[in-house]
């Protein structure tokens, strides 16, 4: 009579070990990424306000461009993990190389577009005359690093699919350290100013890309996988990425609408919104780490033909997401007296900020489940459904958010609209997970 509970506990323990071993290093790597911009900001901030303003505009453009192509990591993770589960490491690494070649081609295309159009993009932000030259300089130089950044995304997906999240953590730490040292040397030592910061970041990015390539290429040679570009494989990688691109663009549209609405509410509201959004993004890193573990684990189970193992892993990760969301919500409430003064001393902004933070805290359990199910469905290669679900979510969120100013609502009402957005995502993802239609076994979906 005790065998079933003991077996159940053994399954949970195995899933817990897998989740922790993948999620903890993934969280470290995710946190390391925004440190690049923080290091640049800290160093350039001492050059002057126009330089820092220029960096802010250029960095926002670069981060947006790279985030649009995050599907390179997600789609590659799922495809590689399936082939790992099927026991075909050669095909897994061949699939990974196709993703890397796609990243290189897309990166070159972005550079070709960005170099001549940099002044136009900067002007689109309404940048001041004093900050514009610095923004254009930083954007043009840093855009040269976009191919490396996209290769890093694709190669990260390869390693995640191979169930390795430690190497990306080590590379991220090395890249951040190199970036900080190069920036200091080129900005102050060589006296290159903001251009030195951009060149230092580009050099660090190519160093990271090289480190990833050495790892992936070594694995490909060990398992006799071809390193040459394969047109059919690259097309397949691009085809798998299109639905995830639609999903990402829809999510970016949600964030842009929220910021635009906050700007209409007044200076105190937009200032408070930026602080809340920063915290929300930081919390998302912790939840996204579990989602990344979900992508790798679910893809491997489905590739191995183990549908029941995939279901059990999904259930356990949902429990992890819920528990993590509750813990983060409690942390936000407990830490708000420390967090709020750290970002602003303006009493008006503080008063606007507090109730919005409480809404974020309440919504964290929902976010925890949403992130996990998002990762599960990505790992299953269920991109078309994710794209459709996110478009539906955008359609539900947009009118609710746009009505906030007209109905006299403030920032708290806007963040309730954001919570509605997460609730819609929860319903659509939960329905899909319960239906079991995402469970398609085999080395390829």
């Amino acid at each position: 009579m005790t065998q079933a509970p003991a077996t159940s506990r053994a399954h949970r323990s195995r899933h817990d070990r897998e989740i922790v071993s993948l999620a903890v290093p993934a969280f470290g790597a995710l946190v390391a990424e925004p440190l690049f911009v923080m290091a640049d900001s800290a160093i350039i901030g001492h050059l002057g306000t126009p330089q820092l303003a220029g960096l802010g505009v250029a960095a926002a453009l670069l981060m947006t461009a790279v985030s649009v192509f995050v599907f390179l990591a997600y789609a590659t993770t799922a495809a590689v993990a399936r082939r790992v589960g099927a026991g075909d490491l050669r095909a897994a690494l061949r699939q990974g190389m196709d993703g890397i070649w796609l990243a290189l081609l897309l990166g070159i295309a972005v550079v070709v577009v960005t170099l001549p159009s940099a002044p136009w993009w900067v002007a689109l932000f309404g940048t001041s005359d004093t900050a514009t030259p610095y923004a254009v300089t930083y954007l043009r130089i840093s855009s040269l690093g976009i191919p490396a950044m996209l290769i890093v995304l694709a190669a990260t997906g390869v390693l995640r699919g191979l169930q390795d999240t430690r190497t990306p953590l080590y590379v991220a730490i090395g890249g951040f350290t190199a970036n900080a040292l190069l920036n200091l040397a080129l900005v102050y030592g060589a006296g290159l100013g903001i251009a030195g910061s951009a060149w230092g970041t580009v050099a660090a990015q190519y160093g990271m890309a090289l480190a990833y390539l050495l790892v992936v290429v070594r694995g490909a040679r060990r398992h006799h996988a071809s390193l040459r570009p394969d047109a059919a494989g690259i097309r397949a990688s691009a085809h798998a990425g299109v639905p995830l691109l639609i999903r990402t663009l829809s999510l970016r549209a949600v964030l842009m609408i929220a910021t635009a609405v906050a700007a209409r509410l007044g200076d105190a509201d937009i200032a408070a919104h930026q602080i809340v959004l920063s915290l929300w993004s930081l919390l998302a890193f912790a939840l996204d780490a579990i989602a990344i573990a979900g992508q790798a684990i679910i893809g491997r189970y489905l590739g191995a033909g183990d549908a029941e193992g995939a279901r059990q892993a999904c259930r356990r990760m949902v429990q992890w997401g819920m528990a993590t969301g509750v813990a983060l919500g409690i942390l936000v409430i407990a830490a708000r007296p420390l967090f709020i003064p750290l970002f602003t001393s303006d009493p008006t902004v503080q008063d606007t900020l507090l109730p919005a933070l409480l809404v974020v805290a309440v919504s964290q359990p929902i976010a925890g489940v949403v992130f996990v199910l998002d990762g599960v469905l990505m790992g299953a290669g269920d991109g078309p459904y994710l794209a459709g679900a996110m478009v539906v979510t955008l359609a539900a969120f947009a009118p609710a958010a746009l009505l906030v100013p007209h109905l006299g609502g403030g920032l708290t009402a806007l963040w309730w609209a954001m919570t509605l957005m997460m609730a819609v995502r929860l319903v659509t993802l939960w329905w899909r997970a319960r239906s079991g239609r995402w469970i398609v076994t085999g080395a390829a979906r």
Side-chain angles (χ1 to χ4, degrees), residues 235-253:
R235 282 196 301 270
S237 295
H239 184 265
V242 168
L244 296 180
L245 175 61
I246 294 171
R247 167 201 168 274
T248 300
L249 290 174
S250 299
L251 182 56
R252 296 297 302 182

Side-chain angles (χ1 to χ4, degrees), residues 178-197:
N179 178 66
L181 294 176
L182 287 168
N183 269 252
L184 287 170
L186 295 175
V187 171
Y188 297 113
L192 296 179
I194 196 169
S197 176

